[in-house]
Amino acid sequence: MLLDKINTPSDIKHLSVEQLNQLAEEIRQFLIENLATTGGHFGSNLGAVELTLALHQIYDSPRDKIIWDVGHQAYVHKILTGRKHLFPTLRKFKGMSGFPKRSESEHDMFDVGHASTSISAAMGYASARDIAGEDHKVIAVIGDGSMTGGMAFEALNHAGHLGTDMLVVLNDNEMSIAPNVGAISHYLTKLRVDPSYSSLKKDVVNFLHKFGDLGDKTTRLIDRFKDSFKSFLVPGMLFEEFGFTYLGPINGHDLPTLLTYMQRAKQTKGPVLLHVVTQKGKGYAVAADAPDKMHSVSKGFNVVKGDAPKVVKPAPPQYPNLFADTMIELAERDPDIVAITPAMLPGSGLIKFQEVFPERCFDVGIAEQHSATFAAGLACGGKKPVLAIYSTFLQRAYDQAIHDIAIQNLPVTIAIDRAGLVGNDGETHQGAFDIAFLRCVPNFTIMAPKDENEFRQMLYTAVNHAGPIAMRYPRGGGLGVQMDTEFKALPIGKSETVREGKDVAILALGSMVHVAQKAAEALVESGIDAKVVNMRFVKPLDEELLLDLAKQGMRIVTIEEGSTQGGMGSAVMEFFALNRIYGMEIYPMGLPDLFVEHGDPQQLLDHVGLNVDSVVELVKTMAPLKQKRA
Amino acid sequence: MLLDKINTPSDIKHLSVEQLNQLAEEIRQFLIENLATTGGHFGSNLGAVELTLALHQIYDSPRDKIIWDVGHQAYVHKILTGRKHLFPTLRKFKGMSGFPKRSESEHDMFDVGHASTSISAAMGYASARDIAGEDHKVIAVIGDGSMTGGMAFEALNHAGHLGTDMLVVLNDNEMSIAPNVGAISHYLTKLRVDPSYSSLKKDVVNFLHKFGDLGDKTTRLIDRFKDSFKSFLVPGMLFEEFGFTYLGPINGHDLPTLLTYMQRAKQTKGPVLLHVVTQKGKGYAVAADAPDKMHSVSKGFNVVKGDAPKVVKPAPPQYPNLFADTMIELAERDPDIVAITPAMLPGSGLIKFQEVFPERCFDVGIAEQHSATFAAGLACGGKKPVLAIYSTFLQRAYDQAIHDIAIQNLPVTIAIDRAGLVGNDGETHQGAFDIAFLRCVPNFTIMAPKDENEFRQMLYTAVNHAGPIAMRYPRGGGLGVQMDTEFKALPIGKSETVREGKDVAILALGSMVHVAQKAAEALVESGIDAKVVNMRFVKPLDEELLLDLAKQGMRIVTIEEGSTQGGMGSAVMEFFALNRIYGMEIYPMGLPDLFVEHGDPQQLLDHVGLNVDSVVELVKTMAPLKQKRA
Ligand SMILES: [Mg+2]
Ligand SMILES: [Mg+2]
């Protein structure tokens, strides 16, 4: 095994092409075997094997800076930079991250997780280098999907302007997570599939040469042709217009070509874009045939068939599924309902909705900012748009949520999936901040369902609400509760008391309601009688409930799967303070003021103290309950 | 006067070109006279006179939807849509907005203020139209500066993909607020200035025709040429690559040409981009000569010379100026300090810094997302980046502040200018949310200076801090205080007591410190002895101070020029609650939960109750102080 001897990038520097090809084979086998045990991103890593080998042979990491966009294609990079032995801990609590991470290796140059950041980060590195008068190389590796993100364009525009040395490797596998959207995607396809487009340069030169002696006027014309056509004579003129030297497209699994072009890129001055075509799932038939399905795999999948592990007991409905089904039901009754998502068609569940209502479903690609303002425009045009987006990606559309949705008080529903701790993807993907960052925005209604039945009713409530409304729900599924047959709108700003009690009130939001219920049951043992309230709404708060609790002098615990800083607990305290109600004993439970790493969701919740035991513990130590009751 | 008879767009429908030209003259005179009295955006409106006339003659507003990007060029649109009489109230409290506003007119289709939203909004309108089977037209009018914003690119990409009918008018005046940055700008310049580029089409066709009978192989080659060159044969191939039909560039002050091209655009299927070249400040020599200076004018400027009104008493230093001077001083001592701004070079004051340190100053254009991640990359490369950005535009870079700066705990300083109420620009520009949206983000230090001397010390503190740090400061200038000669770092998380007192503690932030001080002085009259604390830091809070106040059972008023929801007041309450300190009487003063409209800053502060009187009033009505003291 060659792989056994590879511990740093320097170990591959002198390998021959044959050896590199053998190593590629071994790495693929290593990935397939390891991911079958741990789960993880699959297709994108299999597709980037040769590309990563070539990068590490031609460039000198960490002196040269290789920056991975999104980072879910960096497993091979991790293998080559001394982290083979960590693969059994991949994405596990306290184990190796699924993304590049500066704290993990000197070869990881920029922490990632979200798309389209690599060119900006690389430009930062390149500009720092230029100011210092250093001469190392800077390389951004970005997928075709990430190229649709506006910030990638902003960075290209700036890079073309500065003109400094940097290489952008466009790793084009014709899809991001799902097949790509947009004009850029069509453009790349054209570059890939039209051979005349690529070979045209030669023909043009020959043609012009052939007629090169036809008199003065024609010669001048030809010169003008040559000049003006200069940017056209290579196929990637769109990138050339941005001031980049375009190389490619080349086959990203053909090592000799990769090495040749990368060497050429290294010697070219100014910004260079190398267009590399790869196949997602390359070398593993199942993944290559269904790249969408095999983007990310669960541990225990069948290596031969690619099947997901068998689930033994019938699972309660998963939120993406329920979201799709409910959207279809609602859209059947209301022709104004439309759905938008920035590249989360499969993840959000909307892919199912799209099959039924293709003309009312818009996947705008990785373009969060546009998705929110597009939704605002649809609302202005009389539609009832539902924007499906993960909590962490909504951060990308924050200004648009304020400036385009909230200021105009438009009836846009934001279905915030993956709100709270998402687990194995770690810091970059946790949905910790949505309550805090939306709560300060006027006109927004914010809610969270306690279970799948309430989810369905909330979505119904949302699409019939006259202003901006956000509903946040966790990764995963419901609790297996009975489902209502009829839709019934929930009263805005009203909570639901799910357990009466006289010693303490636990005000719980969304995923924390069942935790609070279990805690209340456990507290009975200690002689503590806890009231449990399903708050449903963070904004507006149920003021009647709060005034009532104040009248009773009830101690309060608030609990939410979101940042404690600025969260629902703060909202409750603000309410009392603004109403000059003093002396309440309130403890706000929520996510602590730190970035929560990767791990199993339950492990992480235990880690941050958002579980039944923590609630029980806290309530027990609150101001002496017994005494007051006596 | 033709203008006297113009009250709705239908009044210009049958005007001849001569009459339109006369009307354009009258409108320019109207604008110059009115803005001399009220102030307002100047150059961009003078540049858009003919364009707006043409739009309203060719299209049928409000049936056809005209959407203005940014909106500071929509004064002529306001004149033509029945709002001439409101110009004396322009940008005044309860008067006419400086931007399009749906609540103001049925002709205003989308509220704006921030750049680059118009194509997204127009696509929303267009898609809503398509679903409803209607046939009106949708037009986005966007400036060249706004085109560099990533979300405009995201929208172009999506529009090319959908292929629906819409017109994007690119109003290209070769600058946004300041001259543009980036490859797109170079590209547009090429289209504008190179006549061979535009006239090439004709030449190519002639040339190909001339050699059209040269045998089979050549003919086929020529055919291939024609095909492959199709997108090149018009000059705007970059836009053509996006799936747009490109028309232009045309002279945006030549009405016959404008009308002809707009008519053609109206009849073209699918997305069309009409490239119109205009001159900022057209028709007013002073503005046209110094378009940068005359982007926005203060009331009372000299109409003949374009001079700003004379200021009688020497003004205390304005923050942008002070920012530039301090940055220069700091950068002279520390070669690692670099500055970045997304198109706020003049506004932030950095333009002065750029003159001294051109290679250490980066204006990235309207590209907020990129600016933050670029800063993160610079920090990774060993620099100490200072990102200069207005509070309202930082919303655009929120995810990047979290994902690229905070998670990696990078030493990036965000200099948040225009934090708090900005005045005449209204809702879209108020800096209300930065405390709330940054406070929940781990690793961030957040501070605000009470005056210009502290501003200078805070900037020094920031660039020497090891992690992400934001300093927010208001629009306008300091208080005229004595300046320290030496730099001295402020201890992180430590407040400054500026007045001792025993009845109540007013914890004030930034711009509110002097308000609190004045209130304390006024309270003496009522026998109330108020302590005033300059908090300096929202995060981390001065915990020692808070514990001390708790020990004394002191009543607390917090006051900040930012959203009450999730603001510093909430932070104080969270601290006490998490430390199980109950029974404190706290009242959080801040901006209320609504979007604050335009008006003079002091008027607005009075309106929302952030002034001396409100503090006095509040403190007097707090729980009976005298009683407790007795
Ligand atoms: Mg891809
Ligand atoms: Mg412009």
Side-chain angles (χ1 to χ4, degrees):
Chain A
M1 286 272 283
L2 269 171
L3 184 54
D4 292 340
K5 290 174 223 127
I6 308 296
N7 294 305
T8 76
S10 60
D11 295 332
I12 71 157
K13 286 277 179 284
H14 304 292
L15 295 188
S16 66
V17 168
E18 289 68 32
Q19 287 172 312
L20 286 175
N21 274 322
Q22 187 196 323
L23 185 57
E25 248 353 274
E26 294 177 15
I27 287 173
R28 285 208 166 81
Q29 206 47 46
F30 178 90
L31 283 174
I32 292 167
E33 280 163 19
N34 272 277
L35 300 193
T37 312
T38 58
H41 287 99
F42 200 70
S44 46
N45 281 296
L46 290 177
V49 177
E50 288 83 5
L51 172 58
T52 310
L53 287 170
L55 278 167
H56 276 294
Q57 190 168 69
I58 301 290
Y59 290 97
D60 179 22
S61 173
R63 187 176 178 274
D64 294 334
K65 318 295 177 193
I66 304 172
I67 295 150
W68 302 91
D69 204 274
V70 185
H72 60 210
Q73 78 288 49
Y75 293 179
V76 184
H77 166 79
K78 293 199 178 208
I79 291 171
L80 299 180
T81 53
R83 283 171 278 180
K84 261 182 312 188
H85 63 290
L86 295 175
F87 272 78
T89 72
L90 178 65
R91 310 204 317 154
K92 289 184 181 163
F93 192 52
K94 304 287 177 195
M96 183 169 68
S97 169
F99 298 101
K101 215 165 182 177
R102 276 152 47 92
S103 59
E104 209 175 77
S105 167
E106 59 171 353
H107 296 279
D108 290 2
M109 292 299 154
F110 207 73
D111 288 12
V112 268
H114 292 192
S116 317
T117 67
S118 61
I119 307 176
S120 298
M123 283 195 64
Y125 268 109
S127 297
R129 171 201 63 198
D130 296 345
I131 293 169
E134 294 164 355
D135 67 351
H136 53 266
K137 299 293 179 183
V138 179
I139 305 102
V141 185
I142 184 168
D144 51 322
S146 295
M147 284 296 285
T148 64
M151 74 176 295
F153 164 86
E154 292 177 351
L156 281 180
N157 189 45
H158 188 210
H161 178 74
L162 281 189
T164 188
D165 281 3
M166 66 182 290
L167 170 61
V168 174
V169 176
L170 172 59
N171 176 14
D172 178 8
N173 56 16
E174 310 171 45
M175 50 169 41
S176 51
I177 296 174
N180 281 336
V181 167
I184 279 285
S185 169
H186 293 306
Y187 176 70
L188 294 178
T189 303
K190 191 167 71 178
L191 294 188
R192 275 192 308 266
V193 303
D194 183 359
S196 74
Y197 208 79
S198 309
S199 65
L200 195 61
K201 179 179 178 168
K202 218 166 43 193
D203 291 340
V204 171
V205 172
N206 289 341
F207 181 75
L208 294 177
H209 186 75
K210 192 169 170 185
F211 299 100
D213 52 358
L214 290 166
D216 221 38
K217 198 177 167 220
T218 312
T219 308
R220 276 209 315 278
L221 187 58
I222 287 172
D223 282 350
R224 232 171 91 191
F225 252 64
K226 283 180 178 162
D227 250 26
S228 301
F229 283 7
K230 200 178 145 206
S231 70
F232 179 71
L233 292 177
V234 288
M237 61 182 172
L238 191 142
F239 300 108
E240 295 269 334
E241 289 294 357
F242 276 96
F244 276 73
T245 300
Y246 173 92
L247 302 177
I250 62 169
N251 177 351
H253 303 296
D254 176 13
L255 269 161
T257 307
L258 272 170
L259 294 169
T260 305
Y261 272 80
M262 228 169 252
Q263 196 60 259
R264 200 201 293 179
K266 194 177 174 181
Q267 283 151 10
T268 306
K269 286 276 150 213
V272 177
L273 187 132
L274 173 59
H275 185 175
V276 175
V277 180
T278 62
Q279 191 194 353
K280 207 162 179 171
K282 173 77 176 180
Y284 181 57
V286 183
D289 289 350
D292 205 1
K293 183 178 152 200
M294 299 295 284
H295 168 69
S296 165
V297 295
S298 308
K299 62 181 174 185
F301 77 93
N302 182 311
V303 174
V304 179
K305 295 189 191 163
D307 289 347
K310 284 230 171 62
V311 177
V312 185
K313 58 174 181 179
Q318 295 293 297
Y319 280 123
N321 241 317
L322 188 64
F323 175 63
D325 292 342
T326 312
M327 281 293 288
I328 292 168
E329 247 183 293
L330 292 170
E332 274 162 357
R333 298 163 180 226
D334 188 339
D336 285 334
I337 291 174
V338 296
I340 303 108
T341 187
M344 280 154 257
L345 210 50
S348 67
L350 275 185
I351 199 158
K352 209 166 151 187
F353 176 85
Q354 193 192 36
E355 282 164 21
V356 186
F357 294 106
E359 77 291 351
R360 285 159 69 184
C361 185
F362 300 91
D363 178 0
V364 303
I366 295 180
E368 295 85 358
Q369 301 197 109
H370 166 63
S371 72
T373 305
F374 177 56
L378 279 160
C380 286
K383 297 295 152 202
K384 296 175 179 171
V386 178
L387 172 62
I389 191 165
Y390 301 168
S391 171
T392 190
F393 297 133
L394 180 55
Q395 294 163 189
R396 280 268 170 99
Y398 184 48
D399 183 55
Q400 290 71 18
I402 297 171
H403 181 270
D404 301 314
I405 295 173
I407 290 184
Q408 303 188 77
N409 202 15
L410 294 173
V412 173
T413 298
I414 307 186
I416 309 179
D417 196 351
R418 271 72 157 177
L421 298 178
V422 299
N424 304 328
D425 279 336
E427 293 95 314
T428 53
H429 284 61
Q430 312 290 16
F433 309 119
D434 55 282
I435 295 175
F437 72 67
L438 284 180
R439 198 168 72 71
C440 61
V441 182
N443 292 339
F444 253 103
T445 295
I446 308 168
M447 54 188 179
K450 74 170 189 294
D451 60 31
E452 64 269 38
N453 186 50
E454 198 163 272
F455 173 94
R456 208 166 151 270
Q457 302 298 18
M458 273 192 183
L459 190 50
Y460 176 73
T461 307
V463 297
N464 291 298
H465 181 67
I469 188 162
M471 59 183 284
R472 75 186 308 258
Y473 47 98
R475 184 173 173 211
L479 304 171
V481 303
Q482 186 78 32
M483 301 298 280
D484 293 343
T485 47
E486 295 294 301
F487 281 120
K488 208 180 137 203
L490 299 171
I492 300 290
K494 284 294 156 204
S495 65
E496 173 200 35
T497 297
V498 292
R499 188 185 196 281
E500 285 296 352
K502 58 187 183 312
D503 293 327
V504 62
I506 308 175
L507 310 186
L509 185 73
S511 60
M512 288 295 115
V513 174
H514 82 278
V515 172
Q517 283 178 293
K518 282 189 190 156
E521 284 158 31
L523 282 165
V524 172
E525 239 174 62
S526 313
I528 295 173
D529 185 19
K531 178 186 177 92
V532 177
V533 180
N534 166 23
M535 289 300 281
R536 282 185 178 156
F537 293 85
V538 174
K539 188 179 183 180
L541 283 171
D542 187 345
E543 303 192 347
E544 206 181 326
L545 166 85
L546 296 179
L547 291 172
D548 221 56
L549 293 175
K551 214 177 288 170
Q552 300 169 48
M554 188 80 100
R555 285 173 192 80
I556 294 174
V557 175
T558 64
I559 184 163
E560 63 201 297
E561 198 177 333
S563 168
T564 306
Q565 289 64 40
M568 181 181 73
S570 293
V572 169
M573 292 189 279
E574 284 165 18
F575 172 79
F576 286 128
L578 290 169
N579 286 279
R580 317 284 278 268
I581 295 168
Y582 298 124
M584 299 292 294
E585 295 177 27
I586 305 177
Y587 192 92
M589 296 185 80
L591 294 174
D593 191 19
L594 48 85
F595 289 106
V596 180
E597 299 190 13
H598 53 280
D600 273 352
Q602 190 53 53
Q603 228 167 356
L604 297 181
L605 287 170
D606 292 344
H607 177 62
V608 300
L610 282 182
N611 59 14
V612 175
D613 288 350
S614 301
V615 177
V616 168
E617 211 57 37
L618 176 82
V619 170
K620 280 198 208 162
T621 61
M622 283 190 92
L625 300 162
K626 300 270 175 166
Q627 198 176 316
K628 179 141 193 211
R629 282 164 70 193
Chain B
M1 287 274 281
L2 269 171
L3 184 54
D4 292 340
K5 289 173 222 127
I6 308 297
N7 295 304
T8 76
S10 60
D11 296 333
I12 70 156
K13 286 277 178 285
H14 304 293
L15 295 187
S16 66
V17 167
E18 289 68 32
Q19 287 172 312
L20 287 175
N21 273 323
Q22 187 195 324
L23 185 57
E25 247 353 272
E26 293 177 16
I27 286 173
R28 285 208 166 81
Q29 205 47 45
F30 178 91
L31 283 173
I32 292 167
E33 281 164 17
N34 272 277
L35 299 192
T37 312
T38 59
H41 287 100
F42 200 70
S44 46
N45 281 295
L46 290 177
V49 177
E50 288 83 5
L51 172 59
T52 310
L53 287 170
L55 278 168
H56 277 295
Q57 190 169 71
I58 301 290
Y59 291 97
D60 179 23
S61 174
R63 188 175 177 275
D64 294 334
K65 318 296 178 195
I66 303 171
I67 295 151
W68 302 91
D69 205 274
V70 186
H72 61 208
Q73 79 287 52
Y75 293 179
V76 184
H77 166 80
K78 294 200 178 209
I79 292 172
L80 300 180
T81 54
R83 283 172 277 180
K84 260 182 312 189
H85 64 291
L86 294 176
F87 271 79
T89 73
L90 178 66
R91 310 202 320 153
K92 289 185 180 162
F93 192 52
K94 303 288 176 194
M96 184 168 69
S97 168
F99 298 102
K101 214 165 183 179
R102 276 151 47 90
S103 59
E104 209 176 78
S105 167
E106 59 172 353
H107 296 279
D108 290 3
M109 292 300 154
F110 207 73
D111 288 13
V112 269
H114 292 191
S116 318
T117 67
S118 61
I119 307 176
S120 298
M123 282 196 65
Y125 267 109
S127 297
R129 172 199 63 199
D130 295 345
I131 293 169
E134 295 165 352
D135 67 351
H136 53 266
K137 299 294 178 182
V138 178
I139 305 101
V141 186
I142 184 168
D144 51 321
S146 294
M147 285 296 284
T148 64
M151 73 176 295
F153 165 85
E154 292 178 350
L156 281 180
N157 187 46
H158 187 210
H161 177 74
L162 281 188
T164 188
D165 281 4
M166 67 181 288
L167 171 62
V168 174
V169 176
L170 172 58
N171 176 15
D172 176 7
N173 56 18
E174 310 170 47
M175 50 167 43
S176 53
I177 296 174
N180 281 335
V181 167
I184 279 283
S185 167
H186 293 305
Y187 177 70
L188 295 177
T189 303
K190 190 167 69 177
L191 294 189
R192 274 191 310 264
V193 302
D194 183 359
S196 74
Y197 207 79
S198 309
S199 66
L200 196 61
K201 178 180 178 169
K202 221 167 40 195
D203 291 340
V204 171
V205 173
N206 290 341
F207 181 75
L208 294 177
H209 186 76
K210 192 168 169 185
F211 299 102
D213 51 357
L214 290 167
D216 221 38
K217 194 172 170 226
T218 313
T219 306
R220 277 209 315 279
L221 186 58
I222 288 172
D223 281 350
R224 234 172 90 190
F225 252 64
K226 281 182 180 162
D227 250 26
S228 301
F229 283 8
K230 204 179 143 204
S231 71
F232 179 70
L233 292 178
V234 288
M237 62 183 171
L238 190 142
F239 301 106
E240 296 269 334
E241 289 293 358
F242 276 96
F244 276 72
T245 301
Y246 173 92
L247 302 175
I250 61 169
N251 177 350
H253 302 297
D254 176 13
L255 270 161
T257 306
L258 272 172
L259 294 169
T260 305
Y261 271 79
M262 229 170 249
Q263 197 59 260
R264 200 202 292 179
K266 195 176 175 182
Q267 283 151 10
T268 307
K269 287 276 150 213
V272 177
L273 187 133
L274 174 59
H275 185 175
V276 175
V277 180
T278 62
Q279 190 195 352
K280 208 162 180 171
K282 173 78 176 179
Y284 181 59
V286 182
D289 289 350
D292 205 1
K293 181 179 154 201
M294 299 295 285
H295 168 69
S296 165
V297 295
S298 308
K299 61 181 176 183
F301 75 93
N302 182 312
V303 174
V304 179
K305 295 189 192 162
D307 289 346
K310 285 229 171 61
V311 177
V312 184
K313 56 175 181 179
Q318 297 293 297
Y319 280 122
N321 240 318
L322 188 63
F323 176 63
D325 291 343
T326 312
M327 282 292 289
I328 292 168
E329 246 183 292
L330 293 170
E332 275 163 356
R333 297 163 181 228
D334 187 340
D336 285 335
I337 290 175
V338 295
I340 303 109
T341 186
M344 279 155 258
L345 209 50
S348 68
L350 275 185
I351 199 157
K352 209 165 151 187
F353 177 84
Q354 192 192 36
E355 282 164 22
V356 186
F357 294 106
E359 77 291 352
R360 286 159 67 185
C361 184
F362 300 90
D363 178 0
V364 302
I366 295 180
E368 294 86 356
Q369 301 196 110
H370 166 63
S371 73
T373 305
F374 177 56
L378 280 159
C380 286
K383 298 295 153 201
K384 297 176 179 170
V386 178
L387 173 61
I389 191 165
Y390 301 168
S391 171
T392 190
F393 297 133
L394 180 55
Q395 296 163 188
R396 280 269 171 98
Y398 184 47
D399 183 55
Q400 290 72 18
I402 297 172
H403 181 271
D404 301 314
I405 295 173
I407 289 184
Q408 304 188 77
N409 202 15
L410 295 173
V412 173
T413 298
I414 308 186
I416 309 179
D417 196 352
R418 271 70 159 176
L421 297 177
V422 298
N424 303 328
D425 279 336
E427 292 95 315
T428 54
H429 284 61
Q430 312 291 16
F433 309 120
D434 55 282
I435 295 175
F437 72 67
L438 283 181
R439 197 169 71 72
C440 60
V441 182
N443 293 342
F444 252 104
T445 295
I446 308 168
M447 54 188 178
K450 73 170 192 293
D451 60 31
E452 62 270 37
N453 186 49
E454 197 163 271
F455 172 96
R456 208 165 151 271
Q457 302 296 18
M458 274 193 183
L459 190 52
Y460 175 73
T461 307
V463 296
N464 291 298
H465 180 66
I469 187 162
M471 59 182 283
R472 75 186 309 258
Y473 47 98
R475 185 175 173 210
L479 304 171
V481 301
Q482 187 78 32
M483 301 299 279
D484 293 344
T485 47
E486 294 295 302
F487 282 119
K488 208 179 139 205
L490 299 170
I492 300 290
K494 284 294 157 205
S495 66
E496 173 201 35
T497 297
V498 292
R499 187 184 197 282
E500 285 295 352
K502 59 187 183 310
D503 293 328
V504 60
I506 308 176
L507 310 186
L509 184 74
S511 60
M512 289 295 116
V513 174
H514 80 279
V515 171
Q517 283 177 293
K518 282 189 191 156
E521 283 158 30
L523 281 165
V524 172
E525 237 174 63
S526 313
I528 296 171
D529 184 20
K531 178 187 178 89
V532 177
V533 180
N534 166 23
M535 289 298 281
R536 282 184 179 156
F537 293 86
V538 174
K539 189 179 182 178
L541 282 171
D542 187 343
E543 303 193 346
E544 205 181 327
L545 166 85
L546 296 179
L547 291 172
D548 221 57
L549 294 175
K551 214 177 288 171
Q552 299 169 47
M554 189 80 100
R555 286 171 191 82
I556 294 174
V557 175
T558 64
I559 183 162
E560 63 201 297
E561 199 177 333
S563 168
T564 306
Q565 289 65 40
M568 181 183 71
S570 294
V572 170
M573 292 189 279
E574 284 164 20
F575 171 79
F576 287 127
L578 289 169
N579 286 280
R580 316 284 278 268
I581 295 167
Y582 298 123
M584 298 292 294
E585 295 176 27
I586 305 177
Y587 192 93
M589 296 186 79
L591 294 174
D593 190 19
L594 48 85
F595 288 106
V596 180
E597 299 189 13
H598 53 278
D600 274 352
Q602 190 52 53
Q603 230 168 356
L604 297 181
L605 287 170
D606 292 345
H607 177 61
V608 300
L610 282 183
N611 58 14
V612 176
D613 288 352
S614 302
V615 178
V616 168
E617 210 57 37
L618 175 82
V619 170
K620 280 197 207 163
T621 62
M622 283 189 93
L625 299 164
K626 301 271 175 169
Q627 200 176 315
K628 180 142 190 208
R629 283 164 68 193

